[in-house]
Amino acid sequence: IAGDKFVGQSVLGEGNIAVMEALEEAGALIRAEDYGHKYPYDWRTKKPTIFRATDQWFASVEGFRTDALKAVETVKWIPDVGKNRIKSFVESRGDWCISRQRSWGVPIPVFYDKATGGTEVLLNEDTLSHIESIIAEHGCDAWWKMDVADLLPDKYKNEADKWTKGTDTMDVWFDSGSSWAGVVKQRAEDEMGLSFP
């Protein structure tokens, strides 16, 4: 439904009405009613936020919930309320949305099949290992600057025209909470050594 006809319209005015009319015309409006609520604003631009449903990547918290809850107990929290907040988050969360739609950040190194509109993905040990070696040599910007053919391992290079690279980035909280472990492990194996804390 989204398109040029909504460009420039106010989210809090005619844009909202135009979207409801378009939904109704498409037979997709289930219900419309007025109710009072506060509308969210972007803290940077101070403009109304527009919500849209997009495909996302998730990590199951189940695989690390017990370890995370144990780790929460070993941290000195300042202020103390931070402990309750993160503990509640870890206890109740089933999945963590780890993808973000930003033009900066650590890329999620996935390739989408053009023919299926992205429902088929290429993300496996071979592609991850290859991307890892590229990023180790050229940095994260390699994902944004290099062509698909250069990012694919040799066994997939002949399929480069089939794939398009993903544009999602990793959630910074997930990234910062896990990337340090890779650095510590690598440096511990180096002669430099590095321990935490």
Side-chain angles (χ1 to χ4, degrees):
I1 295 174
D4 293 336
K5 69 181 185 177
F6 301 119
V7 172
Q9 295 187 25
S10 170
V11 171
L12 300 177
E14 72 274 10
N16 199 30
I17 294 166
V19 168
M20 286 193 299
E21 288 172 353
L23 287 169
E24 191 168 28
E25 287 171 17
L29 182 64
I30 297 170
R31 181 177 177 166
E33 67 179 80
D34 290 335
Y35 63 95
H37 66 90
K38 291 185 178 180
Y39 198 86
Y41 283 78
D42 177 66
W43 67 274
R44 290 183 186 114
T45 65
K46 309 298 186 240
K47 292 182 179 177
T49 303
I50 300 173
F51 293 102
R52 61 188 177 101
T54 58
D55 292 330
Q56 301 292 338
W57 286 94
F58 290 86
S60 173
V61 175
E62 199 57 47
F64 59 87
R65 183 186 324 274
T66 302
D67 289 340
L69 289 170
K70 287 178 187 172
V72 166
E73 297 301 326
T74 67
V75 174
K76 178 177 169 74
W77 294 87
I78 300 173
D80 292 337
V81 295
K83 178 180 179 180
N84 292 336
R85 185 173 176 213
I86 193 71
K87 188 174 180 181
S88 173
F89 170 84
V90 174
E91 285 174 337
S92 63
R93 182 66 54 105
D95 296 310
W96 186 342
C97 179
I98 61 169
S99 53
R100 298 291 181 268
Q101 293 67 53
R102 296 191 175 120
S103 56
W104 54 270
V106 176
I108 296 177
V110 63
F111 299 93
Y112 296 97
D113 185 328
K114 294 176 186 177
T116 65
T119 58
E120 183 183 334
V121 299
L122 178 61
L123 178 65
N124 58 39
E125 286 187 38
D126 292 334
T127 61
L128 286 174
S129 179
H130 186 68
I131 300 292
E132 182 182 341
S133 65
I134 289 172
I135 289 175
E137 184 177 344
H138 302 286
C140 281
D141 282 349
W143 180 260
W144 311 116
K145 294 177 180 177
M146 295 174 74
D147 292 330
V148 170
D150 298 322
L151 293 168
L152 288 169
D154 288 338
K155 70 191 257 185
Y156 296 107
K157 284 195 187 300
N158 63 339
E159 299 179 9
D161 290 342
K162 175 182 177 176
W163 304 103
T164 184
K165 57 186 171 180
T167 57
D168 290 338
T169 58
M170 184 71 71
D171 169 46
V172 295
W173 295 108
F174 193 88
D175 176 41
S176 64
S178 58
S179 60
W180 67 268
V183 173
V184 170
K185 183 177 186 283
Q186 180 181 350
R187 297 257 175 102
E189 294 168 0
D190 292 348
E191 45 198 61
M192 293 179 358
L194 183 64
S195 62
F196 181 81

